[in-house]
Every structure is written in C-alpha cells, then in structure tokens.
Amino acid sequence: MIIKCPNCDSIKVQATHHGRQICGAVGTVAGVASGVSAATSGARVGATVGAFAGPAGSVLGGVAGALLGGLVGGVAGGTVGTTLGDLVDETILDNLHCLNCDHRFSLDTEG
C-alpha cells in the first residue's frame, strides 16, 4: 500500500514511531524493575544450585540468577511496551510525517 500525504499527495512519507519508542523504553524499565524484584527468588535458586561448587559457586550462581531475572523481565516488558506503542502510533498519534511539506498525519485522517 502506497501512503500519500493528504496535504500535498507526496509519497515521501516517513513513520515516526514515537509511541513505540516511548512505550518500549517505559516497558523495558518496568520489566527490569519487576524482573529484579523477581530475581530475588532467581538468586536464591542460583545460589542453591551454585552451592554444589562451594562458596564461590554460590555467589556466582546468585548473581547469575539475579541477572537472568532482570534480563528476562526487561525483554518481556520491552516487548509488551513496543506492542502497546504500535497500537498508540496507529490509533492516537499522528505517526506519519510528509518529508515534502512537513505535514503530520495518521492513516485514520488520511481521508
């Protein structure tokens, strides 16, 4: 589908994705925060598993469990955030920018 500017009929149109970027960043931060709080149990499990290798294994296992919890939470939060951001871009924000006349619009208002 070729998108044209409703103002000047130019096909030089660029999607800005501001909603995706902002919601993705917020979702990633929220996901990391929830992942770190859940990482307490991950650190406990990692420390228990690492205990078989002695005190150093217990510490490394705990750190690895905590890091893994934060990473998984961040990825999950970022994915949910970018999906929500795409929805915001498509329905609420003027996500399209005409490079010819500088007009901003969305597909709903394209006409």
Side-chain angles (χ1 to χ4, degrees), residues 11-90:
I11 61 170
K12 293 182 180 179
V13 175
Q14 175 184 27
T16 58
H17 300 296
H18 292 301
R20 175 192 288 180
Q21 294 168 352
I22 292 170
C23 290
V26 169
T28 300
V29 170
V32 167
S34 68
V36 167
S37 70
T40 305
S41 63
R44 243 182 279 126
V45 170
T48 303
V49 171
F52 292 112
S58 182
V59 170
L60 289 175
V63 170
L67 287 175
L68 190 59
L71 286 173
V72 168
V75 169
T79 302
V80 170
T82 54
T83 302
L84 176 64
D86 282 339
L87 182 65
V88 168
D89 279 337
E90 291 173 8

